[in-house]
Amino acid sequence: MQSIPIATACTIYHKFFCEINLDAYDPYLVAMSSIYLAGKVEEQHLRTRDIINVSNRYFNPSSEPLELDSRFWELRDSIVQCELLMLRVLRFQVSFQHPHKYLLHYLISLKNWLNRYSWQRTPISVTAWALLRDSYHGGLCLRFRAQHLAVAVLYLALQVYGVEVPAESEAEKPWWQPLAHIILLSLDLTALRIFYVWNCTIFVLL
């Protein structure tokens, strides 16, 4: 899946469980249905069979693809029924504005501001994209505006590598304020929450 459908799937998942108790439904079934629905929303249609087989392989690494037996068809029907439930719970509001286009614009602007050596020797772009991707492990996509998330991951990436934007100390406003119209307190809070989600993600993976 491409980055936008993945982001949409994560947003659908988090938004659904904001409306419904986490214990009421199987989160893995909801996750599969979120992927299936996101593929439709973002016009990257995925076959339910592929979603089922990939999910099954993830939870059972040594297993073979499921046979087209009663178990498979029951799971497929469950995904479709769960998709319909999610649409009703979310009142069919499953289109979202994501930070990706903003981050791309901000990175292009920042690349033009920085000297070539600073840009090439530090993976600012790679880190910013990774932080944005990992931020979807939590519900930050529902709490903050897309522009604020984009500028926050870029701000955090610059802080990680100690890179300063040229002439920032002489400027009337910090570099990020004209881009996203966000105050410092909100930016620090957003960046802190992204960092917290990122730390939790690394801990789970370890």
Side-chain angles (χ1 to χ4, degrees):
M1 291 182 72
Q2 297 176 353
S3 57
I4 295 298
I6 292 174
T8 297
C10 293
T11 307
I12 290 173
Y13 179 90
H14 292 305
K15 190 174 182 182
F16 178 77
F17 280 118
C18 283
E19 301 286 341
I20 298 293
N21 191 304
L22 185 61
D23 297 326
Y25 295 96
D26 180 2
Y28 301 111
L29 176 61
V30 173
M32 288 189 285
S33 299
S34 298
I35 293 171
Y36 182 57
L37 178 55
K40 292 181 178 180
V41 172
E42 302 299 343
E43 299 182 355
Q44 188 186 349
H45 185 66
L46 300 171
R47 297 190 307 171
T48 50
R49 183 176 182 180
D50 293 335
I51 296 172
I52 290 171
N53 282 330
V54 170
S55 300
N56 181 64
R57 188 64 180 271
Y58 177 80
F59 292 112
N60 306 285
S62 59
S63 66
E64 296 295 326
L66 293 178
E67 298 291 337
L68 297 179
D69 54 13
S70 59
R71 180 190 173 200
F72 173 86
W73 292 110
E74 287 174 2
L75 186 53
R76 181 188 180 281
D77 290 341
S78 296
I79 291 175
V80 173
Q81 292 300 318
C82 186
E83 176 201 15
L84 296 176
L85 170 67
M86 295 171 73
L87 284 170
R88 290 196 296 271
V89 169
L90 300 179
R91 295 172 289 278
F92 293 85
Q93 297 176 7
V94 290
S95 294
F96 308 101
Q97 187 179 53
H98 295 297
H100 299 67
K101 64 179 180 180
Y102 295 103
L103 180 56
L104 179 61
H105 171 69
Y106 299 160
L107 283 169
I108 292 173
S109 299
L110 185 65
K111 183 179 179 180
N112 293 331
W113 293 343
L114 295 176
N115 64 66
R116 186 185 306 175
Y117 177 71
S118 296
W119 183 261
Q120 291 179 345
R121 72 183 177 90
T122 51
I124 296 171
S125 178
V126 173
T127 303
W129 284 116
L131 288 168
L132 179 59
R133 180 191 63 236
D134 290 347
S135 72
Y136 279 90
H137 286 252
L140 299 181
C141 51
L142 302 177
R143 300 178 190 173
F144 300 101
R145 296 174 61 185
Q147 305 96 303
H148 294 178
L149 277 177
V151 80
V153 296
L154 183 53
Y155 172 81
L156 194 53
L158 290 170
Q159 294 293 314
V160 167
Y161 294 106
V163 175
E164 295 184 1
V165 176
E168 182 177 8
S169 58
E170 292 83 11
E172 294 182 2
K173 296 181 179 180
W175 64 268
W176 38 263
Q177 199 168 50
L179 294 177
H181 305 289
I182 182 174
I183 61 174
L184 180 59
L185 179 61
S186 297
L187 179 63
D188 283 339
L189 180 60
T190 309
L192 183 61
R193 289 185 176 178
I194 291 172
F195 187 68
Y196 173 76
V197 170
W198 182 79
N199 270 337
C200 290
T201 303
I202 295 299
F203 178 75
V204 169
L205 292 175
L206 294 176

